[in-house]
Amino acid sequence: MLRYTMLAGLLALASGSAAAQGVATPLPPATTSDTPARPTPLPHLSNFRTSSLAISLGWGAPYGFGIEYAHMLGSNFDVNAGAGIGVGGKIGIGTRYYFRPERNFTPYVGANLTRSGRVDNVDVTYNNETANYSMTPSGLLSLRGGFRWQPGHVGLSGTLGYGARLTGDPVVYSPYTPQPSQPLRDLVQTISPGGIEISIAMHIGLGR
């Protein structure tokens, strides 16, 4: 009887040990870092400052010899407004689209709407012929294309374009002088608002 009791106890002890070995050992808790992960930097989209001032000059420039303020709308577009002196005072607005703004050198296309002011009683002489004329205010649509080089805070641009008059011929000849010949009329048309544009500008970046 004692033999059977001892055998039963040994079997119970062996089964308990086997059950304990079958229990999985818990894994230690995962360690976390208190330092937050750094966000992935965004690609550089534009080499231009958010805003800029420009001094422009040239034949047929929308703002003549004038000053312009431009503000970037996204990475490729800007809107601009300016005023200056040409054949009369000039004022207007415009926009440009830059094809590669992430580079120092980029081509662009643009358009401007400008208004040229009144000019009164101008004498012009050509081939010993003199005439007197005035110019009424006129509106222009200028379509433009060129390049902009902006290696840093200060940059340069060059532009070719054409200005189309929206309000007709602004030239009015004085009735008190002989009517001019066609060559003299052609000369006056050459210096009146509109036509070919060849201009340059210096751009000064503002802000970021």
Side-chain angles (χ1 to χ4, degrees), residues 101-119:
E102 74 280 3
R103 296 188 175 182
N104 291 346
F105 184 91
T106 174
Y108 75 86
V109 293
N112 287 75
L113 284 172
T114 56
R115 180 184 185 276
S116 294
R118 177 182 295 277
V119 176

Side-chain angles (χ1 to χ4, degrees), residues 138-166:
S138 58
L140 295 175
L141 171 63
S142 297
L143 302 179
R144 319 170 69 215
F147 68 89
R148 180 169 168 178
W149 179 60
Q150 192 78 33
H153 184 65
V154 177
L156 297 172
S157 68
T159 304
L160 295 175
Y162 185 84
R165 288 196 292 256
L166 304 177

Side-chain angles (χ1 to χ4, degrees), residues 33-40:
S33 173
D34 294 334
T35 304
R38 293 183 178 180
T40 302

Side-chain angles (χ1 to χ4, degrees), residues 61-73:
Y63 308 131
F65 179 71
I67 189 167
E68 166 198 318
Y69 172 79
H71 184 81
M72 297 296 295
L73 296 179

Side-chain angles (χ1 to χ4, degrees), residues 47-56 66-72 78-81 96 98 148-157 200-208:
N47 201 41
F48 302 149
R49 303 293 179 94
T50 302
S51 301
S52 64
L53 286 177
I55 300 172
S56 64
I67 189 167
E68 166 198 318
Y69 172 79
H71 184 81
M72 297 296 295
D78 82 2
V79 292
N80 55 81
R96 285 180 288 247
Y98 298 99
R148 180 169 168 178
W149 179 60
Q150 192 78 33
H153 184 65
V154 177
L156 297 172
S157 68
I200 59 173
M202 179 177 69
H203 301 261
I204 303 170
L206 304 176
R208 293 179 143 188

